[in-house]
Amino acid sequence: SPDSVFVSNGTGGQFDLEVRVDANTTNMRLFVVEFTIDTTKLDTVSVTEGTFWDTTGAITVFNAFIQDSVVRLEGLVLGAGEAADGPGLLATVRFVILDTGRVDFNIINSDLRDVSNIPFTHDTAGAVLFVNYPPLDFDLLEPPDGANVSLLAGDSLDLVWASTRSVYASDPVAYRLEYSTDPGFNPAVTTTVNLTDTTYTIPGDSLTETTYYWRVTAIGSVTGF
């Protein structure tokens, strides 16, 4: 299954993605790997040969080809009988972030060959990149959309929403609540409250008899939104 990679750099930031083989790879002499990326979110800055064949001391050939959304990597160790065993690093690909969100790193072709130039069976795993990714979606619970709420003197109104979490480890999530008489949330008639809880109580005497709109934004400390 694809690995999950969490990137907290914003737009314009750069990060490295490593292409590796595991310990099940033995006696490998040649590899070809092709993968696709979402070019609306990432651009390839550079590709660097890995250290997989360093232990052989032999001459290696390494090529990287980039065309539109496809990146193709090719590697070969020269010399009779030269090969290497995993685990090891085949290449490091550096990306610059154009936009944030989820990016699927899909391997569309791979060819690994042993010292006798015979292809061997192998599994490939792409990656799911979460680039400056916001907290997960959540629902507003109470009151439901379009509800008619009757308040008596001294009553209050509870706004309740589901909790959420960040995709980044140990990243606390806070909430920004806004309620307003304007569906466009004009700041002049909008109340904004920053919270860590998922419930907020509005005193009834602060509300007028009209239609109110409310929304909640989850904010992670890593991404800032």
Side-chain angles (χ1 to χ4, degrees), residues 47-184:
V47 182
T48 306
E49 182 179 6
T51 56
F52 180 71
W53 280 304
D54 282 4
T55 56
T56 67
I59 297 173
T60 61
V61 177
F62 178 80
N63 293 302
F65 304 94
I66 303 169
Q67 183 173 9
D68 299 326
S69 63
V70 178
V71 178
R72 178 183 173 95
L73 309 176
E74 300 175 351
L76 169 69
V77 60
L78 302 178
E82 296 291 354
D85 298 334
L89 175 65
L90 300 183
T92 300
V93 186
R94 175 161 292 185
F95 296 104
V96 61
I97 299 170
L98 305 179
D99 196 5
T100 58
R102 171 177 169 150
V103 181
D104 291 313
F105 177 89
N106 296 315
I107 296 178
I108 57 174
N109 178 45
S110 62
D111 182 14
L112 309 182
R113 298 189 178 232
D114 66 15
V115 70
S116 300
N117 202 37
I118 298 174
F120 54 82
T121 302
H122 59 279
D123 295 322
T124 59
V128 179
L129 281 61
F130 295 93
V131 181
N132 208 30
Y133 202 77
L136 301 178
D137 290 342
F138 61 99
D139 294 322
L140 304 182
L141 302 178
E142 295 290 341
D145 190 30
N148 292 314
V149 179
S150 298
L151 299 177
L152 300 176
D155 284 351
S156 59
L157 175 64
D158 288 338
L159 302 180
V160 184
W161 56 96
S163 63
T164 186
R165 64 178 180 83
S166 172
V167 299
Y168 300 94
S170 303
D171 179 30
V173 173
Y175 303 94
R176 181 172 62 243
L177 164 68
E178 298 168 276
Y179 62 94
S180 178
T181 55
D182 174 32

